[in-house]
């Protein structure tokens, strides 16, 4: 655990521990052994690839197939039937839950 330093403590957990070496603890710029700080010179230069660098293509992909036409009237009818089944199952489950709650409440009262 480090000891707290005097002054603002907003960045206290993020400070580097003191090692006694002033060059490493104070300045985040790396120093060269020869003297001055080492500066970032940018990314290395890039060289464009030669023309025709891609491998030859021997097979062509087949064009996409046509999807079958959709019968919107039939889809709407199926969706309505599924909705009725869902509401019916929910109603049955609700009736069963209400009956169980009523049964438990009557047992608790009597």
């Amino acid at each position: 655990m480090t000891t707290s330093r005097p002054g603002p403590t907003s960045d206290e957990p993020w400070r580097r521990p003191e090692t006694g070496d002033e060059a490493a603890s104070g300045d985040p710029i790396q120093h060269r052994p020869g003297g001055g700080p080492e500066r970032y010179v940018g990314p290395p230069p890039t060289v464009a690839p030669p023309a025709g660098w891609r491998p030859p293509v021997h097979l062509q992909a087949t064009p996409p197939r046509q999807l079958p036409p959709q019968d919107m009237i039939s889809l709407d009818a199926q969706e309505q039937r599924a909705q009725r089944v869902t509401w019916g199952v929910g109603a049955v489950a609700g009736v069963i839950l209400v009956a169980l709650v009523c049964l438990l409440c009557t047992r608790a009262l009597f």
Side-chain angles (χ1 to χ4, degrees):
M1 182 170 178
T2 60
T3 59
S4 61
R5 299 179 192 171
T9 60
S10 64
D11 62 344
E12 183 69 28
W14 311 112
R15 286 188 183 158
R16 290 184 181 183
E18 297 217 12
T19 59
D21 182 17
E22 294 299 323
S25 63
D27 192 6
I29 298 176
Q30 299 295 328
H31 292 278
R32 287 187 289 175
E38 184 177 333
R39 301 281 182 209
Y40 179 68
V41 294
T46 58
V47 178
W53 65 274
R54 294 182 187 265
V57 178
H58 296 290
L59 296 174
Q60 295 293 330
T62 58
R65 298 176 295 167
Q66 285 287 2
L67 293 173
Q70 295 180 352
D71 184 10
M72 297 307 277
I73 296 172
S74 173
L75 286 174
D76 287 339
Q78 290 175 0
E79 185 177 352
Q80 287 174 355
R81 280 196 304 268
Q83 187 177 14
R84 278 190 223 116
V85 169
T86 302
W87 281 96
V89 170
V92 169
V95 168
I96 291 173
L97 286 175
V98 167
L100 284 174
V101 168
C102 289
L103 179 67
L104 290 173
C105 287
T106 56
R107 288 191 68 176
L109 293 176
F110 300 110

